[in-house]
Amino acid sequence: MTETTHLQTTPPGGGAKPRSPEFRLAADALRGLRQDLFHDAFAYRLLPRMRVDGPLTRRLPGRLRDYATWTPHAVICAAALLALAIATVDQGLALLLGPLAVLPILLTMVRPVGAFWLSMVATPLALPFGDQWGEWPWLPGSFACHLTVLTVVAVRTRPRTAAWMWTLTAVYGIFASTLFGSGHYSTNTGPMLVVSAMILLCVTVWHIRRHAEQEVTAQQTVTAHERSRRTLLEERTTIARELHDVVAHHMSVVAIQAEAAPYRVENPPPELEKAFATIRENAVAALTELRRVLGVVRAEDYEAPDAPQPTLADLEGLLANVREAGLGVEKVVTGAVRELPQGVELSAYRIVQEALSNTLRHAPGASARVEIGYVLGGLGLRIVNGPPPNPSLIKPSPGAGHGITGMRERVTMLNGEMTAGPTDDGGYEVAVFLPVTLPDEDDA
């Protein structure tokens, strides 16, 4: 016969049973009540002034706009005066009933949650001074005061606090009507709960809508920032691809010429052969590293162009294509035309191309003018177009603004300067200066 011993382990927490969902729900509710209405109930929270950047307030004159910032305070003071008038009409001891109806409303401007508790305390304190055959348990002044306090505090706090205030108001009304209201003609607990519920519901909907608008605004800001950042990265990627092709071409030429140079000299000395071999090795190594580093910016489906990157010499073909698209464009060249570094030539070509594309997109039917100036120390570009003949036919373009970003990136890369903006006649102008170091300056 085998004896089996069963060991029973004690659960963590000293054997306490897990709480039921109902108990946890009630505990969370009480915790929320304590946090909303008891914790720092009389904390100082000054009512902020109203913003005046709305569609109506921004049109007000300067002095009137300054006064408009105090609109919330003025509304609360007006509500306090109204409650005072209601409390003192056909009532005795107005000096006692007046402060009990006014002070809680005024306190909402500095201590909102404390104002609710003061209104709850002032309501039964005012009952002995009212008509014993009147409505119960809120006197007329207390009724107006409590509704005003509930509204202001709900606006200044959150929906959960408004729900707790309405619940405590219902508990007080039902308790006072049941136990102490038997000798009165009527009770106003029902009207108080219905009217306050409708007001608090409207305030809650306003809170939810305001919170949703803030979230949408924040999301739009983040989206616009990310879109701008992505556009900037795309433009830089495009520039890096093109410069990679330009630099790789030059480095390949250096490597080939260094390899062929010794064969062009009869009986070259060993030092010369060694120097050319070193040049070729460094050029090949630099070309390998360049392709390794800049190759990461290429998309998987990117294919290097078969033809060389365009320069200002290819500008006539671009202008011909633009004219075929319906844009009347004129080119003016000033200064002595000379060959510039290929990076400058490529950037100048792309800037003119993008500026003319923007003209086709945003000013269809307008005429454009391309000015190229070969000046001492650099290259000047100016692309200007006139106003569109029929602005009503222009459709908004989702890609507007990306071309300007790409132009600025190219100009910044070459340490140049650029300005872009509308002209006085309703057109648009892009002015660029790309510095070019003269060979004599390098020799010096």
Side-chain angles (χ1 to χ4, degrees):
M1 186 173 188
T2 304
E3 182 179 357
T4 304
T5 303
H6 296 279
L7 299 178
Q8 183 176 1
T9 59
T10 303
K17 296 181 179 180
R19 303 296 185 181
S20 63
E22 293 80 5
F23 179 86
R24 291 196 299 268
L25 183 62
D28 293 339
L30 292 177
R31 191 180 302 111
L33 173 62
R34 183 174 64 251
Q35 180 181 359
D36 292 340
L37 293 181
F38 289 94
H39 182 68
D40 291 336
F42 288 87
Y44 182 78
R45 292 178 54 196
L46 183 63
L47 178 65
R49 292 194 292 177
M50 186 181 70
R51 298 175 58 180
V52 290
D53 55 353
L56 297 178
T57 53
R58 70 163 60 103
R59 300 179 182 179
L60 298 175
R63 181 60 62 87
L64 192 58
R65 191 185 303 114
D66 295 337
Y67 292 150
T69 58
W70 298 100
T71 300
H73 305 76
V75 171
I76 294 177
C77 292
L81 292 177
L82 179 61
L84 176 63
I86 296 175
T88 56
V89 171
D90 297 333
Q91 298 286 345
L93 301 176
L95 293 178
L96 293 177
L97 293 177
L100 292 177
V102 171
L103 290 179
I105 298 178
L106 297 179
L107 190 61
T108 58
M109 292 188 289
V110 289
R111 305 183 189 274
V113 178
F116 166 75
W117 288 116
L118 181 59
S119 177
M120 292 291 293
V121 173
T123 297
L125 290 179
L127 288 176
F129 308 104
D131 185 4
Q132 62 177 345
W133 301 109
E135 292 187 341
W136 182 274
W138 278 279
L139 296 181
S142 300
F143 194 95
C145 170
H146 199 65
L147 276 181
T148 304
V149 169
L150 287 179
T151 304
V152 177
V153 177
V155 170
R156 297 201 60 193
T157 55
R158 52 183 176 176
R160 191 178 72 177
T161 305
W164 280 121
M165 291 191 301
W166 186 88
T167 302
L168 293 180
T169 300
V171 170
Y172 166 76
I174 296 174
F175 178 80
S177 300
T178 303
L179 298 182
F180 304 103
S182 58
H184 297 268
Y185 286 132
S186 61
T187 175
N188 54 8
T189 299
M192 168 62 76
L193 296 182
V194 172
V195 175
S196 61
M198 294 179 62
I199 294 176
L200 295 182
L201 179 61
C202 294
V203 174
T204 301
V205 172
W206 175 79
H207 271 296
I208 295 175
R209 179 179 178 182
R210 182 183 181 187
H211 181 68
E213 289 178 350
Q214 291 176 350
E215 287 188 348
V216 170
T217 302
Q219 186 62 35
Q220 288 177 346
T221 302
V222 173
T223 302
H225 177 72
E226 291 297 330
R227 185 186 299 112
S228 176
R229 183 180 179 185
R230 184 173 63 251
T231 301
L232 187 62
L233 292 177
E234 290 175 354
E235 294 295 338
R236 289 181 177 178
T237 300
T238 302
I239 296 172
R241 290 173 181 172
E242 294 178 347
L243 290 181
H244 172 270
D245 299 331
V246 172
V247 177
H249 170 73
H250 288 296
M251 294 301 296
S252 300
V253 172
V254 171
I256 295 173
Q257 289 183 349
E259 183 178 7
Y263 299 99
R264 298 182 179 180
V265 180
E266 185 177 356
N267 298 324
E271 294 81 2
L272 182 61
E273 292 182 353
K274 184 177 180 181
F276 280 119
T278 302
I279 293 174
R280 182 183 181 281
E281 291 175 0
N282 290 334
V284 172
L287 184 60
T288 302
E289 292 298 327
L290 178 66
R291 288 173 176 168
R292 182 180 303 167
V293 174
L294 294 183
V296 299
V297 303
R298 294 186 183 274
E300 295 181 357
D301 56 348
Y302 174 78
E303 296 181 0
D306 298 332
Q309 294 291 350
T311 63
L312 290 177
D314 304 313
L315 200 58
E316 288 297 335
L318 173 64
L319 299 181
N321 292 334
V322 172
R323 292 188 184 101
E324 291 179 359
L327 177 64
V329 59
E330 173 188 8
K331 186 182 78 168
V332 178
V333 180
T334 59
V337 179
R338 64 182 185 275
E339 185 177 356
L340 301 175
Q342 192 166 358
V344 176
E345 295 262 357
L346 173 61
S347 296
Y349 180 91
R350 294 302 188 196
I351 290 172
V352 174
Q353 183 182 37
E354 187 60 42
L356 295 178
S357 298
N358 288 342
T359 302
L360 284 171
R361 185 183 305 115
H362 303 293
S367 60
R369 179 183 176 92
V370 178
E371 300 178 2
I372 304 175
Y374 291 86
V375 297
L376 184 64
L379 176 70
L381 296 174
R382 181 175 179 267
I383 305 95
V384 59
N385 62 268
N390 195 348
S392 61
L393 298 179
I394 301 177
K395 297 181 180 180
S397 174
H402 294 185
I404 299 296
T405 302
M407 295 182 201
R408 293 192 186 280
E409 281 298 307
R410 294 182 183 276
V411 173
T412 303
M413 176 190 64
L414 297 174
N415 297 323
E417 298 178 359
M418 171 181 167
T419 59
T423 59
D424 296 336
D425 60 352
Y428 202 84
E429 177 185 14
V430 176
V432 175
F433 177 75
L434 303 177
V436 177
T437 304
L438 298 178
D440 294 340
E441 297 178 0
D442 295 338
D443 296 340

